[in-house]
Every structure is written in structure tokens, then in C-alpha cells.
Amino acid sequence: MAISKEERAQLKLLPIRGYCDWKGIPYTTDTPTELRMVDHDSLVVRTKLNRFVWNSTGVKGDLVDFIHYYELGKSDGDSKGAAIKNQLAYARFVKGENIDVSKLYEDNTPRYKFDYDKVFKTQETNVAKDYLVNQRKLNPQFVDNLLRSGAVVQGSRYREGDKLHQNPVIFPWKDVNGKIVGADRQGTEQDFEHYKKRGTSKKIFAGSDTSTGYNLSFGSGDKTLILFESPIDLLSYAQQNHQDMVKSNATLLSVSGTDAKRGLQYLNDAVAAKQAKFNKIIVAFDNDVAGFKAADYFDRFSFKNPITGEAIEAERHIPLQGKDWNEQLKAGVTGRRVMSMTDNANRLDALEKTCSARDTNRQTRLCGCQNEYHSTC
């Protein structure tokens, strides 16, 4: 039987969060408006929009897309019939329980505002330093300088679920005026049972101001803006390119994911508050499909600095070895490949065609074919 226009509208309202609860799909609630999947925490559900984005794959969409790509593990070439059937089954459940969809998970909780004073920190730095130096292979003197300046701090032990975890590394976010308005928390112990491939816990503190992110400035810091997916990649790149960062008066910004638009927001805020004269944006996201897809945002738009009236050039940097800058650092390799945004778009097109051609089943998709350098892709 055909579905009416009104019924389709009701189906659109069905919340992804409600579906997860119905099917027992585990998630965490880092903020009142965002959910993260436990087994793939790069997948974020924005509850107010009732949409999701899977940062590590570049996939995004509504409930049907969530079921298709995430729950069922299907790909672009597969029919969404099974996902629609699951959506309709959830709709029948909601109707049978006489649930008002418009009020389901209605959020009346005021937005929590991040308070850095309430982030538990320690005076000791031994665990954080050990993690950054011995696991991430950052230079000990560089790490000492970060800890001494407060650009990196050691957090207190914390409980997550039923387990007490050792001290994490805290990366405080500063806005363009230097005020701490958010933070990343990076776990320092490996737990592949709970954190799968990555092996460590990662979290953004509730209430963090996502118009910014973890950032460091070199020189005047107002000419070149360089974007990264994580604080660790930012620090890895900074260590390998320190002198160039000073010469180019660069600010390095982690957006904790692949939301390239956050870089533009930071740039706009810096221009408005500090009359910043940025003339270049460099997208240094991962060397994979998601990284190229996110960087492609800057290929579709042109920008001018309202202070100087000059065009803001966009450029793409990828490591010479490995998927990200920390992998390159740990491999003992230095250097970077510089690409134009046209080069980025062409490479994205080639990667998507390659992955689409070889993505014939779930096992192939999970082989890691997002990675440009993957030998079996």
C-alpha cells in the first residue's frame, strides 16, 4: 500500500535516538544535543536536526541512512529496502505505543556551558608525558613546553561505565580572545575491547564551544590557518614543521573531526575580534576518503578577507607516509605533499570510484579502503 504524504512526514520525524533505544544500539551522550556510537565514536547524531554524520567515512543522513550504512553495514550501491523496512517496523512500534513523535525526546534541558574550572586536573604530568612521548613519539622538550604553558594538561583519573581509567591528556580549547571555552579528553591506556580499532577513549567535554577547537599559534598567528582532525595530529605536524609555522605566522586548529566549516567560523571570528589578516587556509585532514571529502568544502567556495580585501587561498596538505600526521611522525618520516583544491577534488573522485568498484560486500568495505595508501584497496 502506498504511503501518503502525511505518513511520510511522520516517518521523517522518527528520532534516530529513539530507534537506537528500541534496537539496543549503545551510544554516549557527550552533550544534550549530540550522541556518539560506542563502537564507532566518529559517528555523531545531532538530535535537534535528527541527522547523523559518520566522520571517519564521510557518510551522513537521516534515520534510513543511519540504518542502511551503520546498522546494516550496506554501501552506496545497495538497495535501501531493508533499511526502510526497519524504519517502518519502528514506526509501527511508536504508533502501537501511542507515542507522540513530536514530543519524543523533547529537550527542555538548558544548554550546559563549559566550565574549565570544573575539569578535574592534576599537578602531576608523568602519565600525560609518558603517553605523548612514548606512545605518540612527540619530542620530550616539546611536550615539556606544552605542559609548562598549560597548552596540554594531565587530567584526573575518571570513571567511564564500570571502569576506573588512568589519567587522560586534556587539550584545552581557546577562542580567538584566549579564553578557554572547551576541551578534548584523550585516554592514555589501550582498551581494544571497548574502543575497537583505535584502542583509546576520546571525548569532547560537554558544553564545549564548537566555533573553535584546540589551537596553537606561531609568530603572529594571523596569516595562515591550518586545520586538523585531532590535537595529536596538530602537535605531530607542528613538531615536524615548526620553523615553517613561525615564518608563515600560522594558527593550527583541530576541529575534532572533519567539519571543515568550523575552520571558516574560527577565521571569521578572528577577523572580527582581532582584525586578523589571514590569506591562506590549509586543510591537513587525514589521507583518506573522509579527509579529501571534507577538504572539498573549500573547492566549492571563494573567500576574501574583509580587512585586506584579498582572496584567501585554500590548499591541501597530506603526509608522505601513513594516513595521518602522527602515523608519519611515528614512522620517522618528515615532509608533506602539497596539493591544490583542484588536485584534492580529482583525488577524491578517483578514490571514490576505486572504493565503489571494490566495495562489493561488507568485508571489502571494512578492509580499510578509505585509506589512500592501503595496499589491498
Side-chain angles (χ1 to χ4, degrees), residues 90-141:
Y90 177 51
R92 287 192 293 272
F93 162 76
V94 170
K95 187 175 181 180
E97 294 290 314
N98 196 28
I99 296 170
D100 185 346
V101 175
S102 66
K103 295 186 181 300
L104 189 58
Y105 295 106
E106 187 174 57
D107 184 15
N108 295 317
T109 306
R111 168 77 168 160
Y112 174 78
K113 189 173 182 180
F114 176 83
D115 186 346
Y116 191 53
D117 290 337
K118 293 182 179 179
V119 174
F120 295 113
K121 303 173 282 290
T122 69
Q123 294 296 319
E124 296 79 17
T125 61
N126 58 309
V127 176
K129 182 174 180 179
D130 177 74
Y131 174 78
L132 294 173
V133 173
N134 294 320
Q135 290 194 46
R136 294 299 189 163
K137 304 305 179 183
L138 291 168
N139 179 277
Q141 185 176 353

Side-chain angles (χ1 to χ4, degrees), residues 207-225:
S208 294
D209 182 356
T210 55
S211 66
T212 184
Y214 182 67
N215 60 85
L216 293 177
S217 293
F218 298 83
S220 62
D222 67 345
K223 294 294 179 63
T224 303
L225 180 65

Side-chain angles (χ1 to χ4, degrees), residues 145-204:
N145 290 338
L146 293 169
L147 290 165
R148 191 179 302 114
S149 67
V152 169
V153 301
Q154 179 172 298
S156 301
R157 299 181 70 189
Y158 64 98
R159 186 171 295 279
E160 197 166 67
D162 59 351
K163 183 178 179 181
L164 185 64
H165 294 267
Q166 72 179 23
N167 308 80
V169 181
I170 307 296
F171 299 97
W173 301 0
K174 292 183 179 181
D175 65 13
V176 295
N177 294 308
K179 180 182 178 182
I180 298 178
V181 294
D184 292 281
R185 185 190 74 191
Q186 170 66 60
T188 54
E189 58 191 325
Q190 293 190 331
D191 183 354
F192 289 100
E193 179 182 353
H194 290 91
Y195 305 114
K196 307 300 178 185
K197 182 178 179 181
R198 189 183 66 248
T200 57
S201 171
K202 293 175 69 174
K203 176 183 177 180
I204 296 173

Side-chain angles (χ1 to χ4, degrees), residues 22-318:
W22 183 58
K23 295 299 290 287
I25 298 172
Y27 59 81
T28 60
T29 52
D30 289 342
T31 76
T33 60
E34 287 190 349
L35 316 177
R36 286 182 185 270
M37 299 300 104
V38 169
D39 58 345
H40 289 283
D41 69 357
S42 69
L43 192 155
V44 179
V45 178
R46 295 187 171 93
T47 54
K48 284 190 175 181
L49 299 175
N50 200 27
R51 305 276 293 180
F52 79 95
V53 57
W54 196 347
N55 289 311
S56 66
T57 67
V59 171
K60 57 185 175 181
D62 57 14
L63 176 58
V64 169
D65 296 314
F66 175 84
I67 298 169
H68 180 78
Y69 292 106
Y70 176 70
E71 185 187 21
L72 301 180
K74 303 290 186 180
S75 61
D76 288 338
D78 296 323
S79 167
K80 292 186 179 179
I84 293 172
K85 286 182 180 179
N86 285 11
Q87 180 199 40
L88 291 172
Y90 177 51
R92 287 192 293 272
F93 162 76
V94 170
K95 187 175 181 180
E97 294 290 314
N98 196 28
I99 296 170
D100 185 346
V101 175
S102 66
K103 295 186 181 300
L104 189 58
Y105 295 106
E106 187 174 57
D107 184 15
N108 295 317
T109 306
R111 168 77 168 160
Y112 174 78
K113 189 173 182 180
F114 176 83
D115 186 346
Y116 191 53
D117 290 337
K118 293 182 179 179
V119 174
F120 295 113
K121 303 173 282 290
T122 69
Q123 294 296 319
E124 296 79 17
T125 61
N126 58 309
V127 176
K129 182 174 180 179
D130 177 74
Y131 174 78
L132 294 173
V133 173
N134 294 320
Q135 290 194 46
R136 294 299 189 163
K137 304 305 179 183
L138 291 168
N139 179 277
Q141 185 176 353
F142 181 39
V143 172
D144 283 340
N145 290 338
L146 293 169
L147 290 165
R148 191 179 302 114
S149 67
V152 169
V153 301
Q154 179 172 298
S156 301
R157 299 181 70 189
Y158 64 98
R159 186 171 295 279
E160 197 166 67
D162 59 351
K163 183 178 179 181
L164 185 64
H165 294 267
Q166 72 179 23
N167 308 80
V169 181
I170 307 296
F171 299 97
W173 301 0
K174 292 183 179 181
D175 65 13
V176 295
N177 294 308
K179 180 182 178 182
I180 298 178
V181 294
D184 292 281
R185 185 190 74 191
Q186 170 66 60
T188 54
E189 58 191 325
Q190 293 190 331
D191 183 354
F192 289 100
E193 179 182 353
H194 290 91
Y195 305 114
K196 307 300 178 185
K197 182 178 179 181
R198 189 183 66 248
T200 57
S201 171
K202 293 175 69 174
K203 176 183 177 180
I204 296 173
F205 282 92
S208 294
D209 182 356
T210 55
S211 66
T212 184
Y214 182 67
N215 60 85
L216 293 177
S217 293
F218 298 83
S220 62
D222 67 345
K223 294 294 179 63
T224 303
L225 180 65
I226 311 180
L227 307 180
F228 299 87
E229 293 189 26
S230 74
I232 294 293
D233 284 334
L234 183 156
L235 295 177
S236 301
Y237 183 98
Q239 177 173 305
Q240 293 194 323
N241 300 283
H242 178 265
Q243 293 302 320
D244 287 345
M245 298 302 93
V246 175
K247 290 177 183 177
S248 60
N249 294 305
T251 288
L252 281 57
L253 172 69
S254 164
V255 300
S256 298
T258 55
D259 186 358
K261 295 188 294 297
R262 280 175 61 179
L264 189 59
Q265 178 66 56
Y266 183 91
L267 186 149
N268 287 337
D269 290 346
V271 170
K274 298 287 188 178
Q275 305 288 292
K277 299 178 180 179
F278 285 108
N279 57 23
K280 179 182 284 190
I281 293 177
I282 297 173
V283 187
F285 289 168
D286 289 358
N287 183 18
D288 59 15
V289 171
F292 280 94
K293 185 175 290 186
D296 195 49
Y297 172 80
F298 290 103
D299 187 45
R300 300 190 301 274
F301 300 93
S302 59
F303 307 95
K304 282 188 177 182
N305 186 311
I307 303 301
T308 64
E310 297 178 354
I312 298 175
E313 177 188 355
E315 195 171 86
R316 177 83 161 104
H317 286 186
I318 57 174

